[in-house]
Amino acid sequence: MEDAFQMTAGSYNVSIPVSQRKTSGLDGTTPNDQTSFTEGAVLSFHNICYRIKVKSGFLLSRKTIEKEILMNINGIMRPGLNAILGPTGGGKSSLLDILAARKHPQGLSGDVLINGAPRPANFKCNSGYVVQDDVVMGTLTVRENLQFSAALRLPSTMTNREKNERINTIIQELGLAKVADSKVGTQFIRGVSGGERKRTSIGMELITDPSILFLDEPTTGLDSSTANAVLSLLKRMSKQGRTIIFSIHQPRYSIFKLFDSLTLLASGRLMFHGPAQEALGYFASAGHHCEPYNNPADFFLDVINGDSSAVVLNREDEDGEAKKTEEPLKRDKPLIEKLAEFYVNSNFFTETKVELNRLSGVQTKKKSTGFKESTYATSFCHQLRWISKRSFKNLLGNPQASIAQIIITVVLGLVIGAIFYGLKNDPTGIQNRAGVLFFLTTNQCFSSVSSVELFVVEKKLFMHEYISGYYRVSSYFFGKLLSDLLPMRMLPSIIFTCIIYFLLGLKPTVEAFFTMMFTLMMVAYSASSMALAIAAGQSVVSIATLLMTITFVFMMIFSGLLVNLRTIVPWLSWLQYLSIPRYGYAALQHNEFLGQNFCPGLNVTANSTCSFAICTGEEFLMNQGIDLSPWGLWRNHVALASMIVIFLTIAYLKLLFLNKYS
């Protein structure tokens, strides 16, 4: 109730001051980069058809069929509140995405015009789009999220003062002043309310002051009072000349009254398109009357679905009054076809076609006026700095992912140090050294599985921000590596080495100490890079984690401890060259065993042996098939570095070519 009160209290309107509009492009780009929309843009869509290919059947009988999602949809969206209403699976979300240029063009036909002209190539950046799931960074405050949007979407010609003034204006006008410095919230952190979160999402799109704003199910997850407050806010925004287009499922009557235009869809067919307040009269003329006190939106959906006992006034009694007869409508395709045909023959459709033809004529006249595709509003370095800054804040704001990992590393280091404490230079020392080095290598690999979340968890956020023109793929990729991957894989390696090295009493040389630390880092970076290559583009963390775990188990077999690599049959031995633990384990063994004497009291040389055991580290390395030369150590690091480059390249290409359409 408090959230709803804040939304309705006061008579504020969301509109960027004219002074700020003159100093920058409304869409976050410089005026020379593109043609801006004028305030009060009219969006028209002509003969929209959309088909997708789906697979049906099982196993060998599976075949691909073409499913029609939208059929010959025509309409006009003018400044105001334009609602797209329909049952689940009716095509309303598909139509919204098509109008917003966020649907894959394959299988799509028809034209979408802005003021009678084709949409510019950068239309997705110029318009605002609020997704259903409110993809905002929950570990940041409301103000920090708005600052991120302003920093990347507003032109560099604007000063920081002007950007902050715009942010403050939006905060005040959206009623977010009381929670401006509160975190939005995650599943682990308590944050703002659902309505405030939704308004934050809207505010991030209002940063560029778009004349067209799309919203996908803006009332999802909100209680009825908060949903009404959000739509009231959108209504006030529309009165400032914005064209607001949104899909909605089942609004209550107080929300329905706010609609200026209503588009009803069912099974991909257009049931009605026109002024929302005339829809009841239209359905009455079709023989479907809404009972008193019934919600019109519910009534429309009932009629379309054929689920209601629609009251049909089609007879008169002896007194000349209309007599109500309950005629349950059958839920079948002919009903939808009849309603679609009735609309095609109505005055609403005729008037719409006349206006569409007029706009098509404008398109012909404006055909020579092309729209220049704009570049990003900011440079690569600017985007890299802000993405790194936000990612680092997100890392610190997630103690379960950062602080907890460090604590676990410290505890695990102390436990391992206690188990292998004071390694001796005797035959038992060989076994213990080999065991602890193997454990460190495999631990670095399996602890890197957590990096699969780096791109999977933020996939929706990345796709939305990239499509909206926040940043380049390269900026996002390298920003995440610099702020998240590098520190979170480097710090555990440093902690492990500092704790374990002295507790275990490993080779007491500075060179060996830093070589071990560097080796553990390279193993962690290689494993994390492979995790990113596997996880990039995935939507489910558990699947990516399972693939990583299985891969590391097979790699662990070929690491060199569980089986002597020289004894593997030739047709399988090549797999050892794909094993990350093998290179890390070999490097650690070379670093630790070279120059060690495990036969105390005996004067042994590099090639001498005892009758009962291995006496030198060199002999142990030769038995493992490890080259004793300096190159025998550093070629493992070169191999790990090559794997890092290859895996990161794969991850980047998967992000670059990721299907970013819905």
Side-chain angles (χ1 to χ4, degrees), residues 5 169 183 228 234 295 320:
F5 174 76
T169 300
K183 291 186 177 181
N228 183 73
L234 295 176
N295 181 12

Side-chain angles (χ1 to χ4, degrees), residues 230-525:
V230 170
L231 265 296
S232 298
L233 169 66
L234 295 176
K235 180 67 174 181
R236 288 190 290 271
M237 291 166 52
S238 69
K239 290 181 179 179
Q240 298 300 310
R242 276 196 180 87
T243 303
I244 298 178
I245 306 170
F246 60 94
S247 61
I248 194 166
H249 183 62
Q250 203 165 2
R252 71 181 196 180
Y253 179 60
S254 61
I255 293 177
F256 176 80
K257 289 194 303 181
L258 302 175
F259 299 166
D260 295 307
S261 169
L262 178 65
T263 302
L264 286 174
L265 289 174
S267 299
R269 306 286 294 272
L270 198 58
M271 304 289 104
F272 174 78
H273 175 73
Q277 305 309 320
E278 298 182 24
L280 285 175
Y282 165 80
F283 274 89
S285 66
H288 305 288
H289 294 254
C290 182
E291 290 181 302
Y293 306 109
N294 188 13
N295 181 12
D298 294 335
F299 168 74
F300 297 146
L301 293 178
D302 288 341
V303 172
I304 291 172
N305 283 323
D307 289 338
S308 74
S309 298
V311 179
V312 183
L313 303 180
N314 54 5
R315 295 185 306 187
E316 292 186 355
D317 58 16
E318 297 178 355
D319 299 330
E321 295 182 355
K323 183 178 180 180
K324 298 180 181 179
T325 60
E326 304 291 334
E327 297 184 3
L329 298 175
K330 297 182 179 180
R331 187 174 186 176
D332 53 13
K333 190 175 181 180
L335 170 64
I336 293 177
E337 290 183 353
K338 289 178 183 178
L339 290 173
E341 291 174 1
F342 186 83
Y343 170 72
V344 171
N345 296 322
S346 67
N347 291 332
F348 291 101
F349 180 78
T350 303
E351 293 174 359
T352 300
K353 288 295 291 183
V354 170
E355 184 66 17
L356 288 175
N357 291 334
R358 185 186 68 81
L359 291 172
S360 297
V362 175
Q363 176 191 7
T364 304
K365 296 178 182 179
K366 290 188 176 182
K367 209 163 188 179
S368 59
T369 306
F371 287 86
K372 180 182 177 182
E373 184 175 1
S374 68
T375 56
Y376 289 93
T378 53
S379 65
F380 169 83
C381 293
H382 181 84
Q383 294 172 4
L384 181 66
R385 181 168 65 88
W386 274 91
I387 293 171
S388 302
K389 179 180 177 182
R390 183 180 70 167
S391 298
F392 190 70
K393 285 184 177 180
N394 180 53
L395 187 65
L396 296 179
N398 275 310
Q400 72 280 357
S402 54
I403 300 177
Q405 184 173 350
I406 295 175
I407 294 175
I408 292 174
T409 302
V410 172
V411 173
L412 187 60
L414 293 175
V415 171
I416 298 302
I419 295 175
F420 294 92
Y421 180 77
L423 293 175
K424 296 184 172 74
N425 285 355
D426 57 18
T428 62
I430 297 177
Q431 179 184 357
N432 290 341
R433 279 177 171 83
V436 73
L437 295 180
F438 175 77
F439 173 81
L440 291 176
T441 306
T442 54
N443 176 72
Q444 290 294 90
C445 289
F446 283 102
S447 63
S448 299
V449 172
S450 60
S451 61
V452 300
E453 299 184 6
L454 194 61
F455 291 146
V456 177
V457 173
E458 294 184 10
K459 180 182 178 182
K460 290 184 178 180
L461 179 66
F462 160 70
M463 292 179 62
H464 170 67
E465 292 179 343
Y466 172 73
I467 294 174
S468 299
Y470 280 70
Y471 41 68
R472 301 167 177 83
V473 174
S474 57
S475 302
Y476 176 78
F477 182 76
F478 289 108
K480 297 297 290 184
L481 295 185
L482 290 175
S483 61
D484 199 321
L485 185 65
L486 289 179
M488 289 310 298
R489 304 308 152 193
M490 180 188 297
L491 203 55
S493 302
I494 296 174
I495 294 174
F496 253 129
T497 306
C498 292
I499 294 177
I500 292 177
Y501 203 88
F502 302 105
L503 288 177
L504 269 57
L506 298 176
K507 185 185 292 186
T509 64
V510 175
E511 179 183 358
F513 173 81
F514 285 105
T515 300
M516 177 178 175
M517 182 184 296
F518 178 71
T519 303
L520 292 179
M521 288 183 189
M522 293 297 291
V523 172
Y525 289 143

Side-chain angles (χ1 to χ4, degrees), residues 535-551:
Q538 291 282 349
S539 300
V540 183
V541 174
S542 58
I543 295 178
T545 303
L546 179 62
L547 293 174
M548 282 295 302
T549 304
I550 294 175
T551 304

Side-chain angles (χ1 to χ4, degrees), residues 37-210:
F37 305 139
T38 58
E39 190 171 354
V42 176
L43 183 147
S44 59
F45 42 103
H46 309 247
N47 300 318
I48 298 296
C49 295
Y50 182 56
R51 298 176 178 85
I52 61 173
K53 293 182 180 180
V54 295
K55 293 182 179 180
S56 62
F58 298 94
L59 299 177
L60 297 178
S61 62
R62 287 178 66 86
K63 59 181 180 179
T64 302
I65 60 175
E66 197 172 67
K67 182 179 180 181
E68 199 164 25
I69 305 299
L70 295 174
M71 293 162 277
N72 297 321
I73 307 298
N74 297 270
I76 302 173
M77 302 295 192
R78 296 182 174 84
L81 220 53
N82 301 271
I84 303 175
L85 183 65
T88 302
K92 57 183 183 297
S93 294
S94 295
L95 177 60
L96 182 76
D97 290 337
I98 290 171
L99 299 182
R102 291 173 182 252
K103 184 66 71 176
H104 198 283
Q106 184 177 1
L108 177 62
S109 62
D111 297 313
V112 179
L113 307 179
I114 307 295
N115 292 334
R119 289 175 300 187
N122 60 344
F123 176 74
K124 295 188 292 291
C125 302
N126 296 340
S127 58
Y129 190 97
V130 180
V131 297
Q132 179 177 349
D133 297 329
D134 296 332
V135 283
V136 292
M137 190 66 75
T139 54
L140 303 185
T141 65
V142 172
R143 187 184 302 276
E144 287 172 341
N145 276 289
L146 295 178
Q147 286 174 342
F148 181 80
S149 179
L152 296 184
R153 303 179 74 187
L154 294 178
S156 56
T157 54
M158 287 186 67
T159 64
N160 290 333
R161 180 180 178 182
E162 291 173 332
K163 293 178 181 179
N164 289 330
E165 287 178 357
R166 179 170 295 193
I167 292 171
N168 292 331
T169 300
I170 291 176
I171 288 176
Q172 292 295 329
E173 294 173 341
L174 291 180
L176 295 171
K178 292 184 178 180
V179 296
D181 298 312
S182 301
K183 291 186 177 181
V184 175
T186 65
Q187 56 180 341
F188 302 105
I189 304 173
R190 182 176 177 85
V192 299
S193 66
E196 290 163 344
R197 186 184 182 94
K198 177 66 68 175
R199 282 180 279 159
T200 302
S201 299
I202 295 174
M204 293 188 69
E205 299 304 312
L206 292 180
I207 285 292
T208 59
D209 192 24

Side-chain angles (χ1 to χ4, degrees), residues 430 433-435 437-438 441 507 516 519 559-561 565 581-596 598 617-618 620-621 623-628 632-633 636:
I430 297 177
R433 279 177 171 83
L437 295 180
F438 175 77
T441 306
K507 185 185 292 186
M516 177 178 175
T519 303
S559 62
L561 177 73
L565 299 178
R582 178 218 175 210
Y583 295 110
Y585 185 45
L588 290 178
Q589 288 182 101
H590 190 289
N591 179 61
E592 175 60 25
F593 281 95
L594 192 65
Q596 295 275 31
F598 298 103
E618 285 78 1
F620 174 81
L621 295 177
N623 187 52
Q624 297 296 315
I626 298 175
D627 186 2
L628 301 182
L633 170 65
N636 294 297

